Amino acid sequence: IRVRPLTCTETRRGDQRVVHSLGDGAVHVSAARHDATFGFSAVFDAGASQEAVFEGSGMRRLVELAIDGFSCTVFAFGQTGSGKTYTLMGPLAQSDTQPASPALLGLMQRSFTCLLEQSRSRGSDLALSASYLEIYNEQIRDLLIPGPPCALPLRWSKTRGFYVENQLSVEFDSLEAIVSLLLQGSQRRRTSAHALNRHSSRSHALLTIHIRSRAHHPPPWVLQAGACPSKQGTLCFVDLAGSERVKETGSSGELSVEANSINRSLLALGHCISLLAKPRGKRTHIPYRDSKLTRLLARSLGGSGITLMVACISPSSRCLSETLSTLHYASRARRVTSRP
Ligand code: ADP
Ligand code: MG
């Protein structure tokens, strides 16, 4: 759980802080008619630095597991304006001109650094490539293909599961290269300004790093005995569009169409998570097909993947009901087990 600081606007209008970290993964919400404590693996309070979140969330371990060939996913979710994009990318994604100070870099850039360091220390036998997609109004768009966005088909096959056809995958071997892909893609992302956040993301974005360990090629006579197989892992970063109540954000027309498709896909995600959280014996069919988002996340959620969820919340009294709903959602998600 990450609790962001109160914003200037919230402080100015006198919002109360209703969320407090109690230490040891406990977070306490107290307001007039609510008093609840939740437990999580880790809680980062408003004062926590970006580095503390990276080190304390298990992100480094996730990068290592991806290098070892696992499918790893980290996703940030929570109300619009709760700090999802900040946690993943830092404030840098919001200004085109000034690069952010290194201390403010988010989980993504820190993971890239870690990945490239590991790659160097292993004598660069890792082949790295990235793809970057967004789901906007239930359409999948490639954020790395230049020009106007075009929708890509989502397909299913027995061997690959759900996959996006014709998505671009760009090789990289330096931090500058991958950060520049991230920036280019983020600028193409669909955002609109509304009451809760001036740069609100109106789409779900998925950046996937494909990591292939090149097989060592031993001389032909040892091939039979101990050829090192190549491994293929992925590290996927998911920045979900925020949940919101249409009334509160002043959304109308096109914005309310967007809000409805965002809410519908988040609902589908929540539904899958609730079902996945049930004990295996009692589990019914999981409706991944209900939205593009759940189809793309099917493997991360319930299959063979390893997933880190960062639930972002605002401490403000005005966000109380959304905060409680995020905390309940996160508590359910915590009970999901996968078999990596
Ligand atoms: P979301 O992506 O959830 O809609 P953002 O990440 O865009 O929200 O955050 C909303 C605002 O709050 C931004 O101006 C961001 O810079 C600020 N913010 C979020 N989290 C933090 C934090 N931990 N520390 C300082 N500012 C933050
Ligand atoms: Mg955002």
Side-chain angles (χ1 to χ4, degrees):
I1 302 293
R2 187 176 204 189
V3 192
R4 71 155 164 74
L6 282 170
T7 61
C8 299
T9 323
E10 287 169 342
T11 313
R12 225 180 301 121
R13 70 184 179 205
D15 289 12
Q16 296 297 308
R17 280 189 56 131
V18 295
V19 181
H20 298 275
S21 158
L22 304 178
D24 273 342
V27 62
H28 183 70
V29 181
S30 61
R33 275 176 293 118
H34 295 274
D35 196 58
T37 305
F38 298 80
F40 296 98
S41 327
V43 176
F44 301 94
D45 220 341
S49 65
Q50 296 282 70
E51 187 188 5
V53 175
F54 179 76
E55 297 298 341
S57 61
M59 191 63 231
R60 191 181 284 279
R61 179 87 186 103
L62 210 61
V63 174
E64 288 164 4
L65 287 164
I67 296 174
D68 284 340
F70 289 96
S71 306
C72 301
T73 308
V74 47
F75 61 95
F77 71 100
Q79 177 183 18
T80 295
S82 59
K84 298 179 295 292
T85 304
Y86 185 94
T87 297
L88 288 174
M89 299 188 218
L92 146 144
Q94 288 161 5
S95 84
D96 321 332
T97 45
Q98 291 243 305
S101 101
L104 298 181
L105 295 175
L107 288 179
M108 293 175 92
Q109 296 95 334
R110 286 168 201 272
S111 303
F112 301 157
T113 305
C114 177
L115 178 63
L116 285 154
E117 274 168 14
Q118 293 268 339
S119 170
R120 298 248 152 73
S121 73
R122 289 172 189 227
S124 2
D125 60 350
L126 299 182
L128 305 172
S129 62
S131 54
Y132 199 7
L133 303 169
E134 73 170 346
I135 307 175
Y136 174 69
N137 280 347
E138 279 301 281
Q139 280 192 346
I140 297 179
R141 300 164 163 189
D142 199 314
L143 292 171
L144 295 183
I145 296 179
C150 66
L152 297 180
L154 180 58
R155 309 223 183 273
W156 188 86
S157 86
K158 217 165 185 167
T159 47
R160 298 176 64 182
F162 293 108
Y163 68 96
V164 178
E165 200 170 65
N166 299 330
Q167 71 174 326
L168 192 63
S169 181
V170 180
E171 289 194 11
F172 66 91
D173 60 5
S174 71
L175 187 62
E176 294 71 40
I178 179 64
V179 166
S180 126
L181 288 175
L182 173 66
L183 281 182
Q184 286 167 31
S186 303
Q187 275 159 11
R188 292 202 185 97
R189 244 185 110 174
R190 186 62 193 226
T191 60
S192 318
H194 67 50
L196 285 178
N197 187 343
R198 272 187 307 129
H199 298 273
S200 167
S201 320
R202 311 301 295 169
S203 65
H204 307 299
L206 292 86
L207 179 109
T208 309
I209 310 280
H210 307 270
I211 306 163
R212 199 156 34 84
S213 318
R214 296 190 185 101
H216 296 291
H217 291 296
W221 58 88
V222 295
L223 243 176
Q224 303 289 316
C228 178
S230 73
K231 283 185 280 192
Q232 219 167 322
T234 52
L235 183 58
C236 180
F237 298 86
V238 186
D239 186 9
L240 293 175
S243 55
E244 60 187 52
R245 275 162 297 170
V246 174
K247 214 167 40 197
E248 202 164 288
T249 53
S251 306
S252 62
E254 189 186 3
L255 282 184
S256 78
V257 175
E258 289 174 355
N260 284 330
S261 62
I262 292 168
N263 288 343
R264 215 170 329 115
S265 58
L266 289 173
L267 208 63
L269 179 62
H271 190 203
C272 288
I273 289 175
S274 299
L275 293 172
L276 283 163
K278 292 189 176 167
R280 266 173 204 276
K282 292 193 179 157
R283 220 186 254 180
T284 47
H285 164 75
I286 313 289
Y288 293 118
R289 287 183 183 269
D290 282 2
S291 75
K292 298 246 162 82
L293 178 67
T294 43
R295 272 182 257 185
L296 282 179
L297 292 177
R299 187 157 53 156
S300 327
L301 287 173
S304 53
I306 303 171
T307 301
L308 166 66
M309 292 182 85
V310 184
C312 298
I313 53 181
S314 150
S316 156
S317 49
R318 295 225 188 174
C319 299
L320 182 65
S321 73
E322 286 278 3
T323 295
L324 285 169
S325 107
T326 301
L327 289 170
H328 285 296
Y329 201 106
S331 303
R332 278 197 297 276
R334 219 181 148 218
R335 293 202 299 271
V336 178
T337 52
S338 64
R339 292 182 175 170

